[in-house]
Amino acid sequence: MGNTGCEPLHIFLFPIMAHGHIIPVIDMAKLFASRGVKVTIVTTPFNIPLISKAIEQSKTQHCNNNNNIHIKAIKFPSQEVGLPEGCEHMDSVPADLVPAFFNAIRLLQEPFEQLMYQQRPNCIVTDHFFPWSTDSAAKFGIPRLVFHGISFFSLCASELMSLHEPYKSVSSDSELFVIPHLPGEVKMTRLQVSEFFSNDAETNNFNMFIKEVKESDLRSYGVIGNSFYELEPDYADYYREVLGRKAWHIGPFSLCNREKEVKTYRGKEASIDEHECLKWLGKKEINSVVYVCFGSMDKFPDSQLREIAVGLEASGQNFIWVVRRKTKEDGDEWLPEGFEKRIEGKGLIIRGWAPQVLILEHEAIGAFVTHCGWNSTLEGVSAGVPMVTWPLSAEQFYNEKLVTHVLKIGVPVGVKKWTMFTGDGTIKWDAMVKSLKRIMVGEEAKEMRLKVKMLAQKARRAVEDGGSSSLQLDALIEELGSLPH
Ligand code: UDP
């Protein structure tokens, strides 16, 4: 029996506890809720405040449909895996305890299923890091959709890398190879692909986990993508038609946020008053400020931060630089002597967390130096801002290729090696100066700006009524509603 229309469709959304996953899932919840779907975001107790604040914020913006969004917590097994109490978010997990965090993730299956038993959702949308959830859905006879939070380009690239292992047929770590069959002749080096590909699978626990993730993906009902068709048509088609996956692209999710207050609170409280930030930007000319931010996970050493500081100053550009060092009390050894005094009026340093979407959408922003996390990349595209790409980890080197090689809306700063968010330490100040000049000045810069502005328009059209993403969302909801439950 299909959904009779009496009871709204009820979907569980369960992101892994990391900003880059929770933020887009909150937006996804708003998208489903805007279509009358009842949504329950599942999380763990310590993560409730940051989610509820974001939902409350948008409720006060007269988005009445957000009353359809609920939050439920399941216990996080900190004690069982040897994590300190309250260590329930990637942000707070010390590097040596990351394996324990992933052990805890496995143990979430039981409490998650108990919640499913109580709430009886019609469908679950779960993070790819919860491979066990395909089995959970099967137990209740409902579909599991996977949320990877990455581009179709990266989904295709990583699948083709696993299938063909082209990095095994080059003679050195820095020799280029083409990713076989991927449209667009995309070249990488072994240094740029994650260590999970390079290591011997059998000896690496994480590799085994990734295998499990992939296998569970294949058995799931399909994939929800935070992307829009016009951005990466060849890769969306390849994913569906050649790799044979069922997928819906319903993004960019972040464009569902129209109000300033909602854009300001994303992930956490901003470390700068938004009015102060906008006032600062308001004094600058159009396209004259470089925004520099490396997402929520970077672990740059002081030496790299100093190179960035020198590069920014030497470039002569206005800039906003987000540094993940909380306060002056944390120490300022990473800053060259007298730096802040010299850049007064020209540069703004935000220590901690920036209202990124609000900043990117300001007309004064002329370029974005980004680590190429997919949310940041898509936010840059949606705001029509060309990028300097500085990938660190995860699938960020693929996103760099999409931005610089395929879309031609950015230039690489020249990072050579994939690391666990520390950066490879090779980027000196003069490389920064060069890439900032390329992205801000001259004909090539103009062309890139024009291209990314056109993509930004397409992104907006995609989420409007009748746009490609909006139609996909309707089709997905209709399909889910017609399933027996
Ligand atoms: N973000 C933010 N302020 C910051 C840093 C990050 O609002 O100071 C947001 C950013 O807008 C994006 C998310 O955090 O939505 C980061 O996700 P992304 O996939 O770009 O990178 P990750 O943090 O997962 O590496």
Side-chain angles (χ1 to χ4, degrees), residues 18-21 23-24 27 149 254 263-268 270-271 291 293-298 322-324 350 352-357 360 368 370-379 392 394-396 399 421:
H19 290 299
H21 295 242
I23 291 173
D27 289 340
S254 66
K263 289 178 196 167
T264 306
Y265 184 87
R266 280 173 74 69
K268 2 182 190 184
S271 318
Y291 172 65
C293 181
F294 299 92
S296 62
M297 309 273 289
D298 85 84
V322 188
V323 186
R324 279 168 43 78
I350 299 179
W353 196 253
Q356 175 159 305
V357 169
L360 282 171
F368 180 14
T370 174
H371 73 309
C372 302
W374 184 238
N375 295 295
S376 294
T377 307
L378 205 50
E379 287 160 8
L392 303 173
E395 88 301 356
Q396 295 154 14
N399 295 334
F421 300 100

Side-chain angles (χ1 to χ4, degrees), residues 192-385:
Q192 294 174 324
V193 298
S194 84
E195 60 195 28
F196 311 123
F197 279 125
S198 318
N199 283 357
D200 174 2
E202 297 310 310
T203 61
N204 189 318
N205 272 344
F206 200 78
N207 253 333
M208 297 303 287
F209 178 65
I210 294 296
K211 264 191 188 163
E212 222 179 288
V213 165
K214 284 185 185 288
E215 185 267 341
S216 143
D217 259 29
L218 284 174
R219 292 188 291 113
S220 74
Y221 191 78
V223 166
I224 293 189
N226 184 10
S227 188
F228 60 104
Y229 184 74
E230 294 76 5
L231 180 68
E232 39 172 0
D234 291 350
Y235 305 99
D237 288 347
Y238 193 92
Y239 193 65
R240 291 195 182 92
E241 288 157 25
V242 183
L243 296 175
R245 306 290 163 78
K246 210 164 168 170
W248 292 263
H249 46 79
I250 60 171
F253 298 174
S254 66
L255 287 180
C256 71
N257 300 304
R258 308 276 153 116
E259 312 286 339
K260 190 167 98 231
E261 289 72 6
V262 185
K263 289 178 196 167
T264 306
Y265 184 87
R266 280 173 74 69
K268 2 182 190 184
E269 212 70 65
S271 318
I272 183 169
D273 178 70
E274 94 237 28
H275 303 290
E276 190 193 325
C277 189
L278 293 178
K279 202 166 133 203
W280 191 91
L281 280 167
K283 289 187 193 144
K284 303 291 174 204
E285 285 179 18
I286 293 181
N287 297 335
S288 72
V289 179
V290 177
Y291 172 65
V292 186
C293 181
F294 299 92
S296 62
M297 309 273 289
D298 85 84
K299 295 185 170 59
F300 279 142
D302 286 359
S303 54
Q304 183 63 79
L305 293 177
R306 267 194 299 275
E307 291 293 331
I308 295 174
V310 176
L312 284 171
E313 189 179 359
S315 76
Q317 302 290 343
N318 297 308
F319 63 87
I320 293 183
W321 178 21
V322 188
V323 186
R324 279 168 43 78
R325 303 284 165 107
K326 284 189 197 88
T327 57
K328 291 207 174 195
E329 288 73 60
D330 282 356
D332 272 350
E333 296 77 27
W334 49 277
L335 271 182
E337 182 117 11
F339 182 77
E340 281 187 286
K341 191 101 202 100
R342 288 197 302 280
I343 53 118
E344 222 171 74
K346 188 124 190 132
L348 181 67
I349 297 180
I350 299 179
R351 290 170 169 79
W353 196 253
Q356 175 159 305
V357 169
L358 203 66
I359 292 175
L360 282 171
E361 288 183 356
H362 198 283
E363 61 178 13
I365 297 296
F368 180 14
V369 178
T370 174
H371 73 309
C372 302
W374 184 238
N375 295 295
S376 294
T377 307
L378 205 50
E379 287 160 8
V381 167
S382 305
V385 180

